[in-house]
Amino acid sequence: LRAGWRLLTQLDIMLRGESSAPMLWEGFLKRFPDDAPALQHLARLQVSAAQPAQALRTLQSIPSAQLDAPTLRLIVALAIQLDDIPAAHRAQQLLVDSSPHPAVSDVLALATTTLQHPDVVTAHAALAEAVAKLPTGTEFHKALAATPSTAEATHFSTAAKSE
């Protein structure tokens, strides 16, 4: 049944033109709201139409278990573009959590959004879990796992002495 509706939607787009594609995919998704490929396709159309907020909402409606790495990276990019740090952090966390050995760049991206996240405790807990997945014993791991310390600022002058 779903495949038939998908084919009808694609035929309808061919007949009506690409400009009607978002509306037609939205109609398809009213019948099949959990269709991840259709949601991803609609989000790409929304991105192409310079509608990042709509695209982000569309992608966020995909169940977490159906989110693949490219979709999560797109959610992160859209959320950062829209200054939605909690959404970017959550997607980056899902990306790291989905891999038994996450890429260092993904953990660093999570660390970056952690620093900007309004819920410091939750964000740092997620970062600690991510850092724990990295190979231990390296200087990089030690630096990430270290508790940040604060230091006292001293007076610094940029004035130049003229003769």
Side-chain angles (χ1 to χ4, degrees):
L1 181 67
R2 185 182 304 228
W5 276 105
R6 181 180 299 279
L7 182 60
L8 285 173
T9 300
Q10 292 168 337
L11 288 171
D12 209 3
I13 291 168
M14 288 173 42
L15 291 172
R16 294 185 190 197
E18 282 297 316
S19 62
S20 63
M23 177 191 66
L24 294 169
W25 281 112
E26 287 169 358
F28 174 86
L29 286 164
K30 285 181 183 169
R31 289 180 180 84
F32 307 102
D34 61 337
D35 190 300
L39 288 163
Q40 291 166 333
H41 187 73
L42 175 59
R44 283 192 299 275
L45 291 170
Q46 291 166 329
V47 168
S48 296
Q51 299 172 334
Q54 293 89 331
L56 179 60
R57 278 195 305 275
T58 299
L59 292 173
Q60 287 175 320
S61 67
I62 299 173
S64 296
Q66 295 180 327
L67 291 168
D68 58 5
T71 303
L72 288 167
R73 291 183 198 290
L74 181 55
I75 291 171
V76 170
L78 289 168
I80 288 172
Q81 178 183 350
L82 296 166
D83 200 27
D84 187 346
I85 299 304
H89 187 270
R90 177 71 181 135
Q92 192 66 44
Q93 180 183 358
L94 288 171
L95 188 60
V96 169
D97 288 348
S98 69
S99 172
H101 304 289
V104 171
S105 60
D106 288 334
V107 176
L108 285 174
L110 183 64
T112 301
T113 57
T114 296
L115 293 173
Q116 302 169 36
H117 200 289
D119 184 356
V120 176
V121 174
T122 303
H124 278 281
L127 179 59
E129 287 178 23
V131 170
K133 288 182 156 192
L134 293 175
T136 58
T138 63
E139 287 301 316
F140 177 73
H141 184 270
K142 289 176 190 172
L144 273 180
T147 304
S149 59
T150 57
E152 211 173 288
T154 58
H155 178 71
F156 178 75
S157 176
T158 57
K161 183 178 179 181
S162 64
E163 293 184 19

